[in-house]
């Protein structure tokens, strides 16, 4: 069974292949099947955006498609940046600019609770959908630490750890991350889906 990943990101491909490979699923990038889609992510939830991306790639390829949408939700900011995590502060900012803006917007705030969230959606050509959601709870640091990871990792301290997500090795991050958790749930959902067929 081949799944087309609605992304250009080879790191995501490797993460998904590692976990879904156990089900005999082969995951390929959309560019590997000749697609170059950038569907507009105009949903208001992670699940909606994941479904928009997976549906667009499934319709264009005629193959089962998989997509994820993720971000950081900060309790004291009513869940912001949330689905706007990649666009927080507008198009002029890079990852460092975005987490600096977030720290600035949280200046003086003692409630630092936050979570990474990942929603994953698989769309099948017969109209079926299999979905999963994963979270990784933590606190927002006061200053960045660490060189690994990407995005908001340097300012995110996962619960139970005394370091930032950017100080963890990739295997350690994958074992606790929102995407890792969503993928583990998805694997069980897909196992049930195929068992019912
Ligand atoms: P997307 O789901 O790939 O569009 O990612 C959305 C945005 O959320 C990214 O650009 C990052 O800013 C943030 N994000 C998602 N997952 C992570 C993560 O594992 N670490 C740090 N930032 C993340």
């Amino acid at each position: 069974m081949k799944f087309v990943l609605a992304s250009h990101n080879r790191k995501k491909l490797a993460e998904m292949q590692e976990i879904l490979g156990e089900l005999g699923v082969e995951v390929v990038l959309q560019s590997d099947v000749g697609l170059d889609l950038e569907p507009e992510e105009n949903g208001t939830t992670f699940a909606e955006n994941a479904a928009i991306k997976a549906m667009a790639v499934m319709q264009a390829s005629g193959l089962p498609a998989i997509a994820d949408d993720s971000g950081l939700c900060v309790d004291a900011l009513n869940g912001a940046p949330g689905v706007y995590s990649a666009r927080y502060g507008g198009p002029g900012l890079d990852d460092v600019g975005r987490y600096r803006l977030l720290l600035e917007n949280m200046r003086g705030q003692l409630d630092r609770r936050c979570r990474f969230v990942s929603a994953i959606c698989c769309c099948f050509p017969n109209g079926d959908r299999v979905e999963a959601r994963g979270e990784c709870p933590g606190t927002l640091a006061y200053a960045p630490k660490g060189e690994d990871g990407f995005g908001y990792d340097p300012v995110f301290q996962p619960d139970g750890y005394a370091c930032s997500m950017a100080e963890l090795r990739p295997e350690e991050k994958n074992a606790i991350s929102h995407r890792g958790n969503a993928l583990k749930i998805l694997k069980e959902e897909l196992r049930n889906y195929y068992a019912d067929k």
Side-chain angles (χ1 to χ4, degrees):
M1 171 68 73
K2 190 184 273 191
F3 279 16
V4 184
L5 175 60
S7 168
H8 303 285
N9 186 330
R10 290 212 173 263
K11 274 192 178 174
K12 276 189 189 173
L13 176 74
E15 272 180 35
M16 293 201 175
Q17 185 61 73
E18 189 183 322
I19 294 184
L20 300 183
E22 294 166 25
L23 296 177
V25 168
E26 181 198 359
V27 189
V28 298
L29 289 180
Q30 53 162 298
S31 52
D32 295 336
V33 294
L35 290 179
D36 185 19
L37 298 180
E38 288 289 349
E40 196 184 345
E41 296 176 34
N42 53 11
T44 55
T45 64
F46 296 111
E48 273 174 32
N49 280 340
I52 288 169
K53 290 187 263 189
M55 185 68 87
V57 168
M58 182 277 286
Q59 284 172 342
S61 66
L63 293 168
I66 181 168
D68 88 311
D69 196 55
S70 55
L72 180 66
C73 301
V74 179
D75 289 8
L77 300 177
N78 295 318
V83 289
Y84 304 105
S85 292
R87 296 165 268 171
Y88 193 50
L93 295 184
D94 59 4
D95 277 355
V96 175
R98 279 187 281 275
Y99 72 60
R100 281 194 182 143
L101 174 66
L102 181 59
L103 293 182
E104 187 56 36
N105 290 341
M106 285 287 286
R107 196 205 283 253
Q109 175 58 255
L110 296 180
D111 177 3
R112 318 284 298 180
R113 286 171 299 166
C114 56
R115 67 202 63 246
F116 278 123
V117 178
S118 164
I120 304 183
C121 179
C122 292
C123 287
F124 294 86
N126 66 359
D128 288 347
R129 269 191 202 183
V130 177
E131 295 168 311
R133 174 189 172 93
E135 297 196 357
C136 178
T139 54
L140 192 74
Y142 288 90
K145 278 193 297 182
E147 305 296 330
D148 280 338
F150 70 100
Y152 299 89
D153 281 343
V155 294
F156 181 85
Q157 183 172 320
D159 282 354
Y161 288 76
C163 60
S164 81
M165 196 75 124
E167 293 176 298
L168 294 180
R169 291 196 308 274
E171 319 82 82
E172 291 176 309
K173 176 179 170 181
N174 290 343
I176 60 161
S177 81
H178 46 312
R179 216 171 356 265
N181 290 334
L183 276 169
K184 282 174 221 152
I185 294 167
L186 184 79
K187 188 174 81 175
E188 291 317 309
E189 295 291 328
L190 283 171
R191 213 193 283 281
N192 295 336
Y193 173 76
Y194 286 121
D196 286 346
K197 286 277 143 194

